Structures are given as C-alpha cells and as structure tokens.
Amino acid sequence: MPRFILRALMLCLLSAVLVGCATSPTGRNQLKLFGEQKMSAMGDQSYAQLKDKTEVDKNTAANRFVECVANAITSVQGVQQAADGPWQVTVFKSDQVNAFALPGGNIGVYSGLLPVTENGAQLAAVIGHEVGHVLAGHPNERMSEQYATQGGLSVLSAFLGGAGGAGSQAIMSALGVGAQVGILLPFSRAQESEADVIGLELMARAGFDPRESVQLWQNMSKASDGEQPNEFLSTHPSNDNRIQALSSHMDHAMQLYQQTDHHPNCRHP
C-alpha cells in the first residue's frame, strides 16, 4: 500500500478516535461513537425482529435450563446495569451451535447449542461470553470501527477520483481488503478474547465451575470435526488458542468461584 494512502487512512481514523476514545473493562483502548441509549434501542429492535422471523423453541425443559443459567449470570453484580430493564431470554429453534446477547439486555440461545453443552457450567461459559460482549461495549465498538473505516475509505475514494479509473478502482479494492484484514478483524479477535476473559469471571462469580469452559471448547472442536477457519482471516481465535487463554486465567477464576457460596443447579434437558 502506498505510504501516502496509508497516512491518509490513518488520519481519517485518528479524527474518529479523538472524539470516540474509550477504555474497555480490561484496559484496552476502544473507539465508541454511539450513545448507550442508541445502542440499547438498536439491540431491542434487532431482538424483536429476530423473534418475529425465527421460530421460538417451546420445549419447557430447554427453556427452564437456559433461563436458569442466564438468570444466574445476569444476577452477578454489575450485569443488570447493562440492561434497560430485566434481561430478556429466548431459546430459538435452530440447529445453529450459537448464542448471542444484544445491548438493552437481550439474550438468545439457539437450541443447536444445547447438545454441545453438557451441563449448566458449559452453557454459562457461552452466555457469560456473550454478556461479556455487551458489558465491554463491543457492539458499539464494532459499529464504530466499521463507521470510521468506511468513512476513511470514502474520503480516499474521493481523493483518488472516485470510480473514474481502473487504477483507482483497483487501489480502493485493495484498500478494502487491507482494511478488513488489517483493522476490523484483529479488533474482533481482541474483542472475542476479551469476552472470553469477562465471561470466565462472570460464570465463576455466578457459581459455575470455570474449568468447564475448557471442556466446552473441546466439545466445540469435536462438534466441528476439527474444522475451523484460518485464524488470521477469522473474527474468532482458534479453539486451541482460546483454550490456552482461558487456562492462563483459570487460577484467578477459581479463586472467584471458591469465594462464591451459591452454586446454581440448572438441569440439562
């Protein structure tokens, strides 16, 4: 990438950073350009739309299990502050091995995740991770990164003459790929790793054995038959790196777990 183009892109991003600089719960610098009320409103709207378009699982045992785990996680001190009311929990009928949490206090768990989670602690690792994204302001950060990057690329496109030449188009295409791999995805991997650490502490404080988080990711590897994307081109750390990072924080998590006298009995369906 030509040096003057890189400099121009960095200047565009720097101007956004100056007005939206923040710090994550682990001390990492963040770019957050949107207000919390705006993020909550968007989270609530997205959650409502998803419930309209996706079948909700009516299985009583599955719902009771998920709600038991989610309620324990959201009862941890400080978590309620991230919601604009009681946390909403929905089990969606889908084969997806996934879950999510949205600003405003919304949690969704896909039924395909339940066979991979062998007990409440393993589901707590997933829900704790997803709630950790919200607590750390990652949805705001992700939107802000994309907004700032797209804004920077638009300025450079105009500087290079817009779509007025094959050379300019080729440069902008390369810049788009460069920005995606060099800026957005590494931030996403940092966010995922940060959510793992926050989630590990949340599940421990909620009374779930944090050691089950390692077993969860071993289960995930088995469920995917060992197939996973190249970590450099992925928004998520590899399962092996994830397990290694969780293990490195386990001593502190176990201390938190041992200090907790409440251990939820959430029965797996």
Side-chain angles (χ1 to χ4, degrees):
M1 181 185 301
R3 185 173 298 176
F4 78 94
I5 295 178
L6 181 61
R7 186 181 298 118
L9 178 57
M10 290 301 102
L11 287 174
C12 292
L13 295 178
L14 179 59
S15 64
V17 169
L18 290 176
V19 298
C21 188
T23 304
S24 76
T26 63
R28 183 176 56 82
N29 291 331
Q30 294 178 293
L31 177 64
K32 295 169 71 175
L33 301 177
F34 303 95
E36 294 305 316
Q37 288 186 333
K38 176 67 172 177
M39 295 302 303
S40 292
M42 287 190 290
D44 291 342
Q45 181 180 9
S46 297
Y47 194 62
Q49 291 176 345
L50 187 59
K51 287 196 291 186
D52 285 341
K53 297 179 180 179
T54 308
E55 183 180 359
V56 174
D57 195 328
K58 303 295 186 180
N59 184 284
T60 301
N63 277 271
R64 186 182 296 117
F65 173 61
V66 171
E67 289 174 2
C68 176
V69 175
N71 289 341
I73 293 292
T74 57
S75 294
V76 173
Q77 185 176 3
V79 176
Q80 183 55 46
Q81 298 174 3
D84 53 14
W87 281 81
Q88 305 297 312
V89 182
T90 304
V91 181
F92 294 99
K93 194 170 185 179
S94 169
D95 291 334
Q96 290 190 58
V97 183
N98 211 345
F100 64 86
L102 296 174
N106 308 288
I107 295 172
V109 174
Y110 294 103
S111 57
L113 176 65
L114 301 187
V116 181
T117 57
E118 300 171 337
N119 51 51
Q122 291 181 19
L123 181 60
V126 178
I127 294 180
H129 169 93
E130 299 302 335
V131 171
H133 278 308
V134 176
L135 295 179
H138 291 164
N140 192 337
E141 186 179 7
R142 287 174 178 173
M143 287 186 58
S144 299
E145 290 163 4
Q146 294 179 18
Y147 181 86
T149 303
Q150 290 300 319
L153 294 179
S154 297
V155 171
L156 287 177
S157 179
F159 177 75
L160 294 171
S168 295
Q169 290 180 357
I171 291 173
M172 290 309 300
S173 177
L175 270 178
V177 173
Q180 178 72 1
V181 175
I183 299 174
L184 297 183
L185 293 186
F187 273 132
S188 294
R189 287 195 294 272
Q191 292 162 353
E192 293 295 337
S193 297
E194 189 170 57
D196 276 346
V197 174
I198 296 172
L200 187 68
E201 294 190 2
L202 283 178
M203 68 178 295
R205 291 181 187 276
F208 296 102
D209 188 341
R211 291 170 294 190
E212 289 291 334
S213 64
V214 173
Q215 183 61 51
L216 166 72
W217 288 107
Q218 292 173 344
N219 295 350
M220 288 288 197
S221 294
K222 292 178 182 178
S224 62
D225 294 324
E227 296 181 3
Q228 53 191 11
N230 185 312
E231 184 173 2
F232 179 67
L233 296 175
S234 171
T235 59
H236 291 63
S238 69
N239 290 339
D240 289 342
N241 284 353
R242 207 160 208 165
I243 290 172
Q244 183 177 356
L246 288 169
S247 298
S248 69
H249 290 87
M250 195 58 66
D251 287 346
H252 176 60
M254 285 301 297
Q255 291 177 5
L256 296 175
Y257 174 64
Q258 291 166 358
Q259 293 169 5
T260 303
D261 56 9
H262 175 64
H263 302 286
N265 182 22
C266 302
R267 294 189 177 184
H268 195 290

